[in-house]
Amino acid sequence: MHAQTAAARTADAVPSATAQRTADLPLPTVAELAALPNFNRPRLSPSGAMLAAFSEKDERQVVVVLAVASDIEPFLVAAPDWRINWFKWLADERLLVSVSVAENFFGTPVTVTRLILADPRARKLKRLLRDETGQGAMQIQDRLLSTLPDDPKRILLQINPDDAGNAQARLVSFRGRQKAGKIVQRILPQVSRMAADVDGNVRVGWGVSKDERSGVLRLRDGAGEWHDFSERYNAGTFNVLGIPVSDPDLLYVASDHEYPLSALYEFKVSTGTFGRRLAQHDDSEIADVELDAAGERIDSVVFSNQFVPDLILNPDLKALDAELDRMLPERRNVIVSYTPTLSHALIRSSASDLAPWYLLFDRAARKLEAYSPAYSQLHQRRLARTTVHQYEARDGLRIQAYITRPVDVPEDAALPFVVLPHGGPHSRDFLRFDWLTQLIASQGYGVLQMNFRGSTGYGREFEEAGYRQWGQAMQDDITDGTHWLIEQGWADPERIAIAGASYGGYAALMGAVREPELYRCAISLNGVSDLSALLVRESRFINGRYASRHIGRWWKDRKSLKENSPTQQAGHIQVPVLLAHGEADRVVNVRQSRMMNRRLKAAKVEHEYLELPEGDHFLSIGTNRRAFAERAVAFLQTHLAAAPER
């Protein structure tokens, strides 16, 4: 757990990128790489006197609260059965924490969320709400709409009070444990999620149509009238990213109506028209906007392409950002938290081969000091470096790829490789530090990652090219990347494995099904294995058919679902398989891997099965992460380290 003293915080503690890459340092061990981060995602309190961060205690993720300028005993927010989702400062004496617990509702495994109010000064914790009637309100209680900075005794919370998933906005007091209070926004038809400005005015609502085939979007204008923009929402990219309080008729929207990649615009709700274009880049979509604490102006615009610098509009932030890049070259430096006056700021500094460090900026003293590494055990270790490439899929589509080579291996060496497609599938990989990639590279293997079609960040057309392409065009992109790797002379064609988590685990299994001569073995962590069973399970949840619409339709697409389900094709697998799954996974049910385990046994396929006790989808228990890492390393050593005999 983080226990660094103020006296130990010096700027010199952060090694330069060049120094760490050239230093004679040992490689990390499996245990070091598999350890949970000891200091992660920190946030400053409003005054800057305190900070909170994710940390680790007794192999579990906790939140630790620290005083910035003194060495008082840390205050922990933790419980044995909690998984902490997020936290947010309301005041120096109030930290709001979302926790989740794996439960079963009427035989269906679900995640239940609760809000905990922490008082770091009094060192007390209390649960904010009582259980309510209505399945939705019983299950989800952490959808924060506004912290209401001008109302220090209440917050605005979304509650879904009925079994249909419809949303309300209610004021919640901090006095004891209570039911959610006064309704300030009543239910809107087919609206299951809401968003509000800083002052608590609900101005955005979205959800799913009754037939679960299209999205619903409603926006409120300055006169308080709601307008339906579902048609525009379904026709192209139209995402509300910012809700300024200065103009109740204005929203900041990412839209692709002028460019293939979304740009940022002002949007007038009452007239349904776009105003000024605020940001646009030919090589990137808009990912997000950051408003100032008052919710009045845009501080910065974040692009999806990490190689496109953020557009920083706050002059003080812009000056600090430039100073950071000067002081910490060859790193990606991100201002992750700052006080409303910018008296203090927290910075994350990292690279693909440099584990993150967090630094603290004191504006009055004009000092930038190292505060804590994210992984203290990796501070003095050599890590592998990742490079960025592109290859062409069989239909000509350009795919961005990332290659990580082990430390001190010549670039022209043909290595054993692990192909590691990302999860989602509608997400993406970045050039960044990643513990799993580093784990594989530390054992002497190269790693190939790619943003196959269907990945986000490359425009709507690129993402839609992956719809209903599980095991098909998306899988072809992964296969084409593997062949490209061989053609470059970088991979030993006799020693290539495929591995992944979640959708990546599915892709690993389908790779073994479809390419029996290409991969030597496959590893699936928390992976999907049966598409029909996945769709049946998703249909039991509110709006589940809409959420899973890009996979396929249970009856209409039944032939394709069978052909592209590893459980149904287990007999085609000719290479060893490692299955690992968290017992309490509420994203991909453990039954998926249990079913695959049975099918592999029946087909007499060589395989191993590892079930992680109490494990979730994210390997958030340290013992589980280490158990998976050790088993995966041993599995690769057995099946990939040596070339096969001919």
Side-chain angles (χ1 to χ4, degrees):
M1 195 184 74
H2 178 81
Q4 190 170 347
T5 64
R9 299 170 196 150
T10 64
D12 294 338
V14 180
S16 73
T18 301
Q20 182 140 349
R21 286 166 182 153
T22 58
D24 186 19
L25 298 174
L27 295 175
T29 65
V30 172
E32 288 171 339
L33 284 166
L36 295 173
N38 59 284
F39 190 81
N40 197 26
R41 291 184 280 166
R43 293 294 183 268
L44 288 164
S45 68
S47 73
M50 306 176 77
L51 63 81
F54 284 92
S55 188
E56 179 273 333
K57 181 176 174 58
D58 300 330
E59 305 286 358
R60 300 272 182 163
Q61 182 177 261
V62 301
V63 169
V64 59
V65 182
L66 301 159
V68 169
S70 64
D71 298 320
I72 65 171
E73 188 70 16
F75 175 59
L76 295 183
V77 181
D81 59 343
W82 288 353
R83 180 182 184 274
I84 300 177
N85 303 312
W86 54 262
F87 61 83
K88 188 173 184 65
W89 286 101
L90 307 177
D92 281 15
E93 67 278 5
R94 290 197 188 102
L95 182 71
L96 194 63
V97 183
S98 162
V99 303
S100 61
V101 181
E103 294 279 6
N104 281 275
F105 276 12
F106 312 110
T108 300
V110 298
T111 296
V112 169
T113 64
R114 297 292 181 259
L115 284 177
I116 305 298
L117 190 64
D119 185 338
R121 297 191 188 279
R123 310 183 75 80
K124 293 181 179 179
L125 300 174
K126 70 177 180 181
R127 185 173 147 193
L128 200 56
L129 295 172
R130 294 203 312 262
D131 289 338
E132 292 210 5
T133 57
Q135 187 172 335
M138 284 192 295
Q139 182 184 352
I140 305 297
Q141 294 186 0
D142 69 337
R143 288 177 175 163
L144 181 67
L145 297 178
S146 175
T147 60
L148 303 177
D150 294 333
D151 187 351
K153 296 182 180 180
R154 297 187 296 186
I155 58 174
L156 186 65
L157 201 66
Q158 177 186 308
I159 295 292
N160 296 70
D162 60 27
D163 293 347
N166 295 308
Q168 291 176 338
R170 301 189 194 178
L171 292 171
V172 176
S173 170
F174 298 139
R175 295 177 303 178
R177 191 188 297 184
Q178 56 175 309
K179 289 190 175 182
K182 179 183 176 182
I183 298 173
V184 298
Q185 175 58 59
R186 298 189 178 277
I187 287 172
L188 299 171
Q190 290 95 56
V191 167
S192 58
R193 297 297 302 270
M194 293 177 171
D197 62 24
V198 169
D199 287 346
N201 302 300
V202 178
R203 295 170 53 189
V204 181
W206 69 99
V208 176
S209 62
K210 286 183 179 180
D211 61 6
E212 295 192 52
R213 293 185 179 275
S214 60
V216 170
L217 178 66
R218 293 188 170 88
L219 307 177
R220 196 177 76 172
D221 66 20
E225 297 295 323
W226 286 93
H227 302 259
D228 192 323
F229 287 94
S230 302
E231 185 175 350
R232 186 188 292 270
Y233 182 57
N234 290 302
T237 300
F238 187 81
N239 298 324
V240 178
L241 299 182
I243 309 176
V245 298
S246 53
D247 186 343
D249 198 35
L250 187 71
L251 297 170
Y252 299 130
V253 172
S255 172
D256 61 358
H257 68 283
E258 286 188 316
Y259 301 95
L261 301 179
S262 63
L264 183 67
Y265 299 87
E266 292 178 338
F267 185 78
K268 202 78 168 174
V269 177
S270 59
T271 60
T273 56
F274 290 98
R276 291 186 302 158
R277 185 174 70 249
L278 304 174
Q280 185 269 334
H281 199 284
D282 290 341
D283 295 324
S284 181
E285 290 190 301
I286 304 294
D288 204 359
V289 299
E290 182 80 23
L291 300 184
D292 69 342
E296 294 177 350
R297 68 170 190 269
I298 297 176
D299 271 354
S300 60
V301 179
V302 181
F303 293 93
S304 296
N305 184 343
Q306 68 184 104
F307 303 109
V308 176
D310 295 350
L311 176 62
I312 302 178
L313 303 178
N314 181 317
D316 291 329
L317 281 177
K318 188 172 184 177
L320 175 58
D321 184 69
E323 183 69 3
L324 290 172
D325 289 342
R326 185 189 66 80
M327 296 177 65
L328 298 164
E330 299 183 76
R331 290 173 173 265
R332 178 167 171 77
N333 305 304
V334 180
I335 303 168
V336 296
S337 177
Y338 50 94
T339 60
T341 61
L342 201 60
S343 62
H344 295 81
L346 278 166
I347 294 93
R348 183 180 69 246
S349 182
S350 66
S352 64
D353 58 340
L354 300 170
W357 263 88
Y358 288 96
L359 302 98
L360 182 65
F361 171 68
D362 184 327
R363 187 180 187 183
R366 301 302 301 171
K367 289 200 314 185
L368 179 67
E369 296 181 325
Y371 192 84
S372 178
Y375 298 83
S376 58
Q377 71 277 10
L378 299 178
H379 174 34
Q380 294 292 326
R381 297 292 183 268
R382 287 285 303 279
L383 299 176
R385 196 169 191 178
T386 303
T387 53
V388 184
H389 305 263
Q390 276 198 347
Y391 65 87
E392 194 171 281
R394 63 191 64 183
D395 61 356
L397 189 66
R398 301 294 295 177
I399 306 293
Q400 190 167 52
Y402 306 91
I403 291 181
T404 304
R405 301 178 70 85
V407 171
D408 294 333
V409 171
E411 289 190 6
D412 58 351
L415 296 170
F417 252 83
V418 176
V419 177
L420 190 66
H422 63 72
H426 305 298
S427 61
R428 60 162 294 168
D429 264 324
F430 293 90
L431 180 67
R432 59 176 177 171
F433 168 82
D434 175 65
W435 76 271
L436 183 55
T437 300
Q438 292 293 335
L439 174 75
I440 296 168
S442 73
Q443 303 303 303
Y445 311 117
V447 182
L448 169 65
Q449 298 162 278
M450 74 290 289
N451 288 326
F452 44 80
R453 74 190 67 205
S455 300
T456 55
Y458 299 92
R460 186 180 178 95
E461 183 178 349
F462 189 93
E463 183 177 350
E464 288 183 344
Y467 289 177
R468 302 198 179 194
Q469 292 298 316
W470 286 53
Q472 300 171 75
M474 288 194 292
Q475 195 72 38
D476 290 340
D477 290 347
I478 297 168
T479 301
D480 294 344
T482 308
H483 285 299
W484 165 79
L485 193 68
I486 296 169
E487 291 165 4
Q488 304 307 305
W490 295 334
D492 179 348
E494 301 292 331
R495 293 189 293 166
I496 300 177
I498 184 167
S502 194
Y503 176 85
Y506 164 83
L509 294 173
M510 281 305 297
V513 169
R514 292 187 53 181
E515 305 295 336
E517 301 297 324
L518 188 58
Y519 302 113
R520 287 281 306 281
C521 57
I523 299 175
S524 170
L525 169 64
N526 296 335
V528 173
S529 64
D530 192 287
L531 299 184
S532 293
L534 177 66
L535 292 177
V536 169
R537 178 179 182 271
E538 291 299 310
S539 69
R540 301 175 69 181
F541 295 92
I542 294 170
N543 298 334
R545 290 186 178 88
Y546 180 76
S548 59
R549 68 196 185 282
H550 301 320
I551 300 173
R553 296 293 178 184
W554 181 80
W555 181 251
K556 180 181 178 181
D557 301 317
R558 61 192 182 280
K559 182 175 182 292
S560 174
L561 295 174
K562 181 178 180 179
E563 291 172 348
N564 293 293
S565 289
T567 54
Q568 304 298 318
Q569 307 298 327
H572 293 283
I573 297 178
Q574 301 175 23
V575 298
V577 174
L578 170 61
L579 299 172
H581 214 117
E583 178 189 37
D585 189 341
R586 292 299 185 261
V587 179
V588 176
N589 193 284
V590 67
R591 294 172 185 169
Q592 289 276 332
S593 287
R594 289 174 179 171
M595 190 188 315
M596 190 68 197
N597 180 37
R598 292 194 298 270
R599 296 296 175 86
L600 291 173
K601 280 183 180 179
K604 295 182 169 50
V605 175
E606 181 182 355
H607 73 286
E608 302 175 25
Y609 180 60
L610 173 66
E611 194 161 299
L612 303 167
E614 302 179 42
D616 61 15
H617 195 65
F618 311 99
L619 287 181
S620 61
I621 299 175
T623 50
N624 284 341
R625 185 179 292 206
R626 191 162 56 250
F628 168 72
E630 291 170 351
R631 182 69 74 89
V633 165
F635 182 82
L636 291 173
Q637 178 67 28
T638 299
H639 300 292
L640 197 63
E645 294 183 4
R646 293 295 185 188

